[in-house]
Amino acid sequence: MSVCKTCRKPKAPYTCGICSETTCKACTHFVGEESFAFLKTVPEVLKHNCYCSNCFDDQVAGPLNEYNDTMEKARDIIIYGKDQTRLTRYLKRKEDPYQVDNCVDKEEAVLRMSFFAVQSNFNCLVDVVLVAKKVVTGTYKNTVWSGTAIPITIDPNAIRGH
């Protein structure tokens, strides 16, 4: 019979992904796979679905909060499309462009590039180009999006027209 590591209740059905101790539903922290979906490489510690309170607090809560903060900043990034070069023609484009592929929709493609930009301490994406591609699998048809953008850092008040 398994006993919960935290509260000592019998019949603990879950196992912590890090320390392999059993926990009950009330003491288990569930973190889905989508919680770190935009990271280029997810650390091994963050790939599990269930965590005990101790392991969650020690090893998962900090990275999860950082990820959520980065995601919030990515939603607020300044974006200029390729068709808006008149507004951005004097901005230096020193960095290599970001490229994303196989995104479900336009918003995901832009958010992924924005997330990468925020991770690298940029606050703007310029020359954003999004391309849709129809994919047919048997009788099922869908559209996948890809995109490119150049990350830069600007003073948000310096550019008129935004």
Side-chain angles (χ1 to χ4, degrees), residues 6 11 25 32 35 38-39 67 76 94 141 144 148 154:
T6 308
K11 297 182 183 175
K25 185 175 182 178
S35 295
F38 283 20
L39 290 178
Y67 179 86
D76 295 333
K94 297 176 184 176
K141 298 177 184 176
V144 295
T148 59
I154 63 169

Side-chain angles (χ1 to χ4, degrees), residues 18 31 36 45-46 51 55-65:
I18 297 174
V31 179
F36 298 101
V45 172
L46 304 177
Y51 298 95
C55 292
F56 182 82
D57 292 341
D58 292 343
Q59 300 182 36
V60 180
L64 184 60
N65 288 336

Side-chain angles (χ1 to χ4, degrees), residues 30-113:
F30 297 98
V31 179
E33 292 177 15
E34 69 281 349
S35 295
F36 298 101
F38 283 20
L39 290 178
K40 289 180 182 176
T41 56
V42 180
E44 197 62 40
V45 172
L46 304 177
K47 289 184 179 181
H48 307 289
N49 293 330
C50 303
Y51 298 95
C52 68
S53 295
N54 293 340
C55 292
F56 182 82
D57 292 341
D58 292 343
Q59 300 182 36
V60 180
L64 184 60
N65 288 336
E66 284 179 28
Y67 179 86
N68 290 335
D69 290 344
T70 303
M71 188 62 73
E72 285 303 312
K73 289 177 186 174
R75 293 181 201 284
D76 295 333
I77 201 165
I78 302 165
I79 297 172
Y80 290 103
K82 186 75 168 176
D83 59 339
Q84 295 176 300
T85 54
R86 190 180 126 263
L87 298 172
T88 63
R89 65 181 169 248
Y90 298 118
L91 299 175
K92 295 193 188 310
R93 291 153 170 82
K94 297 176 184 176
E95 299 296 320
D96 293 332
Y98 293 136
Q99 182 169 353
V100 294
D101 296 313
N102 298 325
C103 296
V104 176
D105 55 15
K106 281 197 260 187
E107 290 77 20
E108 181 189 346
V110 170
L111 189 59
R112 280 190 184 277
M113 291 185 290

